[in-house]
Amino acid sequence: MENLVIIGSGPAGLTAGIYAARAGLKPLVLEGLESGGQLMQTRHVANYPGFAATVGGAEIIAAIRAQAEAAGVRFKMDVVEKVDFTGETKQLFTMMGDTLEARAVIVATGAGVTKTGLPGEAKFFGHGISACLTCDGAFYKDRTVVVVGDGAAATGAVNYLTRLGATVAAVLAPGAIASFEGDTALRAVRPADGADIAADGVFLVTARTPQTQFLGDALAKDATGHLVVTDQVKTSVAGVFAAGDCARPRHKQAVIAAGDGALAALEAAAYLG
Ligand SMILES: Cc1cc2nc3c(=O)[nH]c(=O)nc-3n(C[C@H](O)[C@H](O)[C@H](O)COP(=O)(O)OP(=O)(O)OC[C@H]3O[C@@H](n4cnc5c(N)ncnc54)[C@H](O)[C@@H]3O)c2cc1C
């Protein structure tokens, strides 16, 4: 029987681990398929406190992980496929065939970027194609960008980027694009119909998908699949907490996820207390 199992090893899960270990809970972190989480996908983080110069996401994660290991957090490479939260003891069924039992659980499984799947996207994602205005908008001052998306999200993105001094050359729905073009850097967006649109950057403002499907209906979710929380981190089941992007429909940022992780661990400690 574990005291506390933390599902996810991004900024939320790792920070929850640090706080829980320091509270004497001997937490177990299940890393999932993406050890370190989304931040591992970027080489340019300029807004994480404590790193004055732009730094790779992997460096930030390595620093947080080293701190977690030093605090005594245990790690396991496994993926939770199903849960049973109906009893006081929480049960987690994993890809490796284990059934883990825990007194408390923190879900910190993040949210995936909904990509277009178009040619050139994989090559330039994180190096010219971004899904995060808050993270990367400021890199495009005095440069030209294309916004991919529609509705209020696209309008908001245009306003935000213009305010930062970028020129928005076009707003296109994913279906109107044939490919993303470039050599060592992104150079243009090729519409399905028409001439290439020169661009230094592309912002995907398509929806993000919280990684909560494996929970089935064990926890309350909103219409977009984000976990519903009260007091910022308490889910619909006592003893199960949520932290980071999986429970944040707005403002998906590493520092916010880390803060949620700390709060979830403190609430878990209070619950177990
Ligand atoms: C390209 C890119 C650039 C970014 N740049 C910045 C930036 O500059 N500044 C910034 O603040 N934010 C940035 N972000 C956003 C930031 O990375 C996220 O807000 C942050 O990582 C969220 O942390 P999290 O711990 O909630 O989730 P994640 O980092 O997504 O971690 C989720 C974890 O859960 C695990 N997991 C998922 N499902 C399961 C399961 N079923 N079982 C077990 N484990 C599971 C995954 O393996 C992963 O370890 C960027 C994101 C991307 C994609």
Side-chain angles (χ1 to χ4, degrees), residues 7-14 30-42 44-48 78-81 108-113 125-126 129-132 134-136 139 208 211 214 243-246 251-258:
I7 313 175
S9 58
L14 293 175
L30 298 180
E31 300 196 36
L33 294 176
E34 198 182 9
S35 180
Q38 294 166 67
L39 223 46
M40 301 297 283
Q41 297 175 32
T42 179
H44 311 284
V45 180
N47 58 6
Y48 197 85
D78 207 346
V79 175
V80 180
E81 290 188 332
T109 47
V113 172
F125 194 82
I129 300 178
S130 170
C132 181
T134 316
C135 313
D136 299 326
F139 293 130
R208 304 282 290 277
Q211 306 199 89
F214 71 99
D245 283 9
C246 65
H251 306 311
K252 292 178 167 56
Q253 287 288 282
V255 68
I256 295 174

Side-chain angles (χ1 to χ4, degrees), residues 130-232:
S130 170
C132 181
L133 289 167
T134 316
C135 313
D136 299 326
F139 293 130
Y140 290 90
K141 184 176 184 307
D142 298 327
R143 301 173 78 197
T144 301
V145 298
V146 168
V147 169
V148 177
D150 47 28
T155 310
V158 171
N159 292 340
Y160 186 89
L161 290 161
T162 309
R163 195 165 69 233
L164 292 176
T167 300
V168 179
V171 177
L172 298 172
I177 300 170
S179 61
F180 301 101
E181 298 294 322
D183 35 60
T184 53
L186 178 92
R187 306 280 177 212
V189 175
R190 179 161 299 162
D193 154 14
D196 284 5
I197 301 167
D200 303 304
V202 166
F203 282 90
L204 303 182
V205 293
T206 44
R208 304 282 290 277
T209 313
Q211 306 199 89
T212 56
Q213 300 87 338
F214 71 99
L215 294 164
D217 58 5
L219 299 177
K221 300 174 191 171
D222 69 13
T224 59
H226 291 86
L227 298 179
V228 173
V229 287
T230 52
D231 295 337
Q232 298 188 64

Side-chain angles (χ1 to χ4, degrees), residues 3-39:
N3 286 320
L4 175 64
V5 174
I6 298 167
I7 313 175
S9 58
L14 293 175
T15 308
I18 293 169
Y19 274 73
R22 290 178 57 79
L25 298 181
K26 300 185 171 57
L28 173 67
V29 169
L30 298 180
E31 300 196 36
L33 294 176
E34 198 182 9
S35 180
Q38 294 166 67
L39 223 46

